[in-house]
Amino acid sequence: MLSDVLIVGGGVFGVEAALELHARGATVTILEPGPLPHPDASSTDISKLIRADYGTDVFYAELMEGCLDAWRARNTRFGRPLFHETGLAVLSQRPMDSSTFEGASFETLSARGHVLERLDEKTIPERLPAWQPGRYVDGYINPRGGWAESGEVVRALASEARAAGIQIREGVRVRPLSGSGPVDGVQTESGERIATSTVVVAAGAFTPALVPELGDRLAAVGQPVFHFDPPASAPLTAPRFLPWAADIGTTGWYGFPVHTGVLKIANHGRGVPVDPAAERLVPASWEPKLRAFLAGALPSVAEARVVRTRLCLYCDSFDGDFFIDAHPERRGLVVAAGGSGHAFKFAPLLGKAIADAAEGVPRDRWRRFAWRERSVARSEAARATE
Ligand SMILES: Cc1cc2nc3c(=O)[nH]c(=O)nc-3n(C[C@H](O)[C@H](O)[C@H](O)COP(=O)(O)OP(=O)(O)OC[C@H]3O[C@@H](n4cnc5c(N)ncnc54)[C@H](O)[C@@H]3O)c2cc1C
């Protein structure tokens, strides 16, 4: 058991770690520059996809199977449904085969006993009438999955943390933990030194700036998010319009039913390398690209008004796997980052993975999150890399 732990960053990695380490008996403090949830944190948004659809990657599909039960239980725990198990629509413009994300996901999940609703050129417009008839000729609906109100989840977890006696210090920004020796505390931007036996750096896209030696393995990447004022006429709510991924492995486009009065669409592609501290603007080239996609796929939305855009940040690892482990040389330092644009859905297990790493409990379950040198670059199965 750890005695005291400082957690740098109050996103989903940080708050989950805090609750788990507290439950294991540690005295935990979260240091966060802004309010918690921080409006600019990657975890803070109106919605995030919750899916077990990971192409041929059984590692993540298996982890998600356990998480789905935990997400359902959280709706009771939080006292309101923040996880919406509407099902997920996976659409393909060409017949699915095992070489595509869509086909590989269908085969992998079917082989694992998931009952998926196969779609075709005829059933897609019947089942999901907002989509342009004839554009998508294949696909499926995975009933096990949907989306979560991510910002509200972090808010609920933070209030649980406070209620449990976990100290959350807002307005505190930690300075980089440069150097090579053991870590027994942090220095804040305001010059305060805070001593501790264990520091967990869970600062999302800011993590490579705080642990500079990881600059070759972790990087901040900006991704565009669009909120539209939905056309009243179109059927853009579940069950006639589900969270979706449309040829996501090649286009990157995915989106959500109307929620809080807006229709959210985002891109899970290469993204743009950014300085996380710089102003975050969605490059102008994205909106015409999106409208061109919508004109062919979701014509009712193609002319809709954009009410908000956001450049949200991934902490990209070189191989798309999370980076959750104790530093091999620097005693007292643990890194929990590398969400690579797909970690929120694993919230129910992130706390355990981080606490195990902090306590030095090796678990085969987290083998792909272990500390590692840079090697072959690759991305998560659904990520469009062209
Ligand atoms: C556009 C977009 C869409 C996504 N969609 C999905 C999805 O559909 N499904 C899914 O599963 N995942 C999705 N993700 C990924 C997911 O949101 C992230 O992997 C996850 O939220 C990362 O959490 P985090 O705690 O590492 O980072 P963050 O949530 O960014 O939290 C990091 C925290 O650290 C704080 N911090 C920064 N610097 C310092 C410092 N110096 N000192 C103290 N604190 C500091 C920040 O203020 C912040 O609150 C998406 C991400 C983005 C950007």
Side-chain angles (χ1 to χ4, degrees), residues 8-14 31-35 37-38 40-45 47-51 54 172-175 189 202-206 210 221 223-225 254 256 264 266-267 310 312-315 322 336-346:
V8 179
V12 72
F13 279 65
L31 303 175
E32 167 58 54
H38 191 296
D40 292 340
S42 306
S43 305
T44 309
D45 205 334
S47 52
K48 302 277 182 189
L49 284 182
I50 306 288
R51 59 174 161 96
Y54 268 84
V172 179
R173 183 180 296 283
V174 169
R175 285 196 180 142
E189 288 290 347
F206 288 84
L210 292 184
V221 168
Q223 296 286 7
V225 176
Y254 68 98
F256 302 83
K264 172 184 165 182
N267 195 276
R310 179 184 186 212
C312 178
L313 304 188
Y314 289 4
C315 178
F322 313 149
S340 303
H342 69 111
F344 194 89
K345 61 181 76 64
F346 296 99

